[in-house]
Amino acid sequence: MYRLLIVTNEQRVKDMFSSMEGWEAMGIKPPRLRSSVEEAVECMHKHPIDAIAIDGAPAFEALYAYLDEYYPDMPIFQIERTAEEQLQTVREASSLLTRLKADDSNDDYDDTHNLDLQRERWLRKLIGGLIPTVADLSRQLRLYRFSAQLGVPCVLARLGLSTDDSFLADRWHYGSERLEVALRNFFGREHGGMRIHVAVVSQEEVRVLCYPLSQEDGVSENAAYEYIQETVDQVEHYLGLSLKVLETRRLPGLEAFAADGGI
């Protein structure tokens, strides 16, 4: 059963969690409640914790820094206004934990690898425009421990797979997910101050997100285009897959990918 920690000094929140029922039916033990950073740290030292929710009050800012240093793979879920909303968010965290803990591979992967894998799968949904609202996006950024923030300009490139090319039908027999992995190997994770994410969103389109490693420096659309075009040329040379850069576009932030964000 999964073990949750709730950190808040609001009595309303404590009462809400105390009144919620059906924890065991969800495969979760009744959450532990703590009221300060010190109490939360002590609890994590004494008890195994799978996921944590933290009050947004400034008094708990130090706890986020602590988690980043010592528990970078622990999902952080949001404290909601109502028990109904909270139940949905808890279920979302429980679903992620189930995928993180699933033993479906013969490889001995650690928590960091498993979370990174789930984060990339979630990013495919994000880049594909499948996150319904900015509120959902904000909540899930924290749940998946994604370091990026809203409101930071980024660059999106759309790459087209020629409909006349039989690469996917005749020469590539491993599916779009394996193609996505192959393309990530070509693009890499970082380049020139950019964090790079690749998503195969359909049989005809690949999208590449370039996000700044440093918010102060930002991402140059020209630099992103040049690197993407250079990588596309390498993909064609080594893989035999012809991609065309359809467009590169500067976006005001990740919120533009949400369905209500206006991409």
Side-chain angles (χ1 to χ4, degrees), residues 165-173 203:
D165 190 344
S166 59
F167 178 86
L168 290 178
D170 298 338
R171 289 179 284 153
W172 184 266
H173 307 289
Q203 293 292 314

Side-chain angles (χ1 to χ4, degrees), residues 87-101:
L87 184 61
Q88 182 60 36
T89 298
V90 167
R91 285 174 176 154
E92 188 175 52
S94 177
S95 176
L96 172 58
L97 288 170
T98 297
R99 298 194 303 274
L100 290 175
K101 307 296 183 182

